[in-house]
Amino acid sequence: MAGDEGMTTTPAAPAGPVPVGAPEPVDARVPLRRLAPLATQHVLAMIAAPLSTVFLVSGTLRMSPAATASLLSAVLLLCGAGSLLQSLGVRNIGGRLPFVMLPGGAATALFLQIAQEHGAPTATGAVLLAACLLLAVLPLYTRVVRLFPPLVMGVTVLLIGIAMIRVAARLVTGPDGTGEPRAVLLAALTLTATVAAYVLLRGVWRQSSVLFGMAAGTAVAVATGLGTFTPAAGSGFALPALLPFGTPRFDVLAALPLLVFSLTTLAEITGQTVLNSETAGRTPVPARDVPRVARADALVSLAGGLFGTSLMVTSAENIGIGRLTGVRSRFVTAGSGILLLALGLATPLSRVLAGIPEAVVAGSSLVVYAVIAVLGVDMLRRADLSTTGTGALTAALALTAGLLPLLAPGLYAGFPAWSRPILNSGVVAGTLTAVALTALLAPRGLPGETPRGLPGARDTGGGGDRAKRP
């Protein structure tokens, strides 16, 4: 849970006038003696996300400790490479802003949904297709982003959170849906430790509460026998395995959840880029910077698909640290990228972490994905849901379409095969319903209601939601 209300609302230190010839704050060089601790602080703020994501994927797909260690190494390397690319930029790729990259929690949820229903190779193919789609639509950025106002984003994120709570619960219950009491108890103790760390800690330590919860849960498992801690064998430095799930399989219908989600990320990227630009003391220019940020996200996601991960996204957790410290230099997050590369190559670390019990992962994941669902509620709160408008009806019907496949899994069993991947995915069904109804009803309004247009790119609110991401 890498969000800290106090940090994300602390105003940035005033920039003041920049002397003639001096670099802007975002381009200022930082001495090494200050760069190292500042970069480490950024890593601490985001490290919980890649670790918990890998453990969730590993537990859900029943990966061996060695395969888990390889996947963790790949994710850390991609986080490091992505942070360097976004911070330093190469031509028109990368925002040249103080961003850190990590695997998207919602994207991982959809990756696992596809893997469970169609197999891991199909999920890998879906990641590659989604990354390519994101690259392809960037020339149409201003048109596409208008399809995903806060109401649509809220429905999507809420449905993702609900679906992932079910996935995380299966780590405790197993495929048959029956949980052993000791696994349920271990997950509950881990969840309690995670929440306690979040409540009691402050600052960057609060942002690492998921890590503290997992550490406490593992310690309890070893001390009480509720679980086992078995690190993967091996030592030294090594590169992760290419295509760990085999040759990708490309199925557009099966990939629809990730394809739709990749389009919604444009709204998030817009808000986040504007927020980070303002924090770094740079005048926001969404038309220039958002495609650069999205292009880097897509390229790193393409590489991620080849190494078994889901879509990679820029992280806003570090924006709060920039506001707190007043250090806006993109070279600090570039230093974080170098540290992440070193961690990814240090296979002894990844092999030790790969031994964490599944129930411990489940306990922390339940907190993380419950918070994602609440973020969806928060997005909906900022939409117009008054009884006199069309927003409430749109949200109600979209949530109905999204929840039906979860509550009645066999509802569409008799439908044509080509339609079932769309109808059985709550995220896709709910999001498409929200988009269609918003486009159909919002411009018309109801009798006595003032018509409301769809928001522009600057009105998506995505940055605020991403800044609070667990």
Side-chain angles (χ1 to χ4, degrees):
M1 294 171 55
D4 187 338
E5 303 91 335
M7 293 177 64
T8 55
T9 56
T10 303
V18 178
V20 177
E24 293 184 352
V26 70
D27 297 319
R29 303 276 179 171
V30 179
L32 184 59
R33 66 180 182 278
R34 295 186 60 212
L35 180 67
L38 288 170
T40 301
Q41 187 172 229
H42 280 283
V43 171
L44 287 174
M46 57 75 65
I47 195 66
L51 293 181
S52 58
T53 296
V54 169
F55 298 142
L56 183 62
V57 171
S58 170
T60 303
L61 301 184
R62 309 295 175 183
M63 296 172 64
S64 68
T68 301
S70 177
L71 182 61
L72 178 57
S73 176
V75 168
L76 292 175
L77 287 172
L78 290 167
C79 289
S83 301
L84 282 169
L85 186 58
Q86 292 286 18
S87 299
L88 302 181
V90 178
R91 296 183 182 274
N92 62 345
I93 303 172
R96 293 182 176 85
L97 287 165
F99 276 125
V100 174
M101 188 168 282
L102 45 72
T108 300
L110 298 177
F111 174 85
L112 289 174
Q113 175 187 321
I114 297 170
Q116 288 185 309
E117 296 177 359
H118 305 280
T122 302
T124 297
V127 172
L128 298 176
L129 290 174
C132 289
L133 177 63
L134 183 56
L135 285 173
V137 301
L138 287 180
L140 305 174
Y141 158 68
T142 55
R143 295 182 181 181
V144 173
V145 76
R146 294 171 66 86
L147 297 174
F148 301 99
L151 190 152
V152 176
M153 291 289 293
V155 168
T156 301
V157 174
L158 176 56
L159 290 173
I160 288 172
I162 293 172
M164 275 314 294
I165 290 173
R166 186 178 67 168
V167 171
R170 286 177 180 171
L171 291 178
V172 181
T173 64
D176 60 355
T178 304
E180 294 185 8
R182 65 176 186 173
V184 175
L185 179 58
L186 181 57
L189 291 173
T190 303
L191 186 152
T192 302
T194 303
V195 174
Y198 186 80
V199 171
L200 298 176
L201 299 177
R202 294 292 181 269
V204 68
W205 299 110
R206 169 181 281 186
Q207 293 179 313
S208 298
S209 56
V210 169
L211 288 182
F212 288 116
M214 294 175 75
T218 303
V220 168
V222 173
T224 62
L226 292 175
T228 59
F229 177 64
T230 310
S235 61
F237 293 80
L239 293 175
L242 184 66
L243 295 176
F245 302 122
T247 303
R249 179 173 175 267
F250 299 99
D251 184 334
V252 174
L253 288 178
L256 269 178
L258 269 179
L259 294 176
V260 172
F261 179 78
S262 69
L263 296 180
T264 71
T265 61
L266 281 175
E268 269 192 295
I269 292 171
T270 298
Q272 181 176 301
T273 301
V274 170
L275 178 63
N276 205 355
S277 297
E278 293 173 345
T279 300
R282 174 189 289 176
T283 301
V285 186
R288 178 198 66 195
D289 293 336
V290 171
R292 289 178 175 178
V293 173
R295 201 170 285 117
D297 277 9
L299 290 177
V300 177
S301 294
L302 280 173
L306 297 176
F307 287 99
T309 78
S310 187
L311 296 176
M312 304 291 293
V313 299
T314 47
S315 161
E317 279 86 346
N318 57 294
I319 295 177
I321 296 178
R323 292 189 172 195
L324 180 67
T325 63
V327 178
R328 303 160 176 177
S329 173
R330 57 194 174 97
F331 294 102
V332 171
T333 49
S336 301
I338 294 173
L339 288 176
L340 288 166
L341 288 174
L343 289 174
L345 292 172
T347 55
L349 173 64
S350 60
R351 291 180 183 278
V352 168
L353 294 174
I356 295 178
E358 287 183 4
V360 171
V361 178
S364 291
S365 298
L366 285 171
V367 180
V368 171
Y369 292 114
V371 170
I372 287 181
V374 171
L375 291 180
V377 174
D378 185 56
M379 293 183 200
L380 287 173
R381 180 182 58 82
R382 288 184 279 115
D384 179 15
L385 299 180
S386 61
T387 55
T388 59
T390 59
L393 178 63
T394 298
L397 293 176
L399 287 173
T400 299
L403 290 174
L404 276 175
L406 297 177
L407 300 177
L411 183 63
Y412 303 114
F415 280 61
W418 64 266
S419 67
R420 288 198 295 269
I422 302 172
L423 298 173
N424 284 328
S425 171
V427 176
V428 172
T431 300
L432 292 180
T433 302
V435 169
L437 291 177
T438 299
L440 200 63
L441 300 179
R444 297 173 180 270
L446 293 177
E449 177 191 1
T450 302
R452 297 170 61 89
L454 293 179
R458 293 292 300 275
D459 300 317
T460 61
D465 299 312
R466 227 174 194 184
K468 299 176 187 174
R469 174 184 293 153

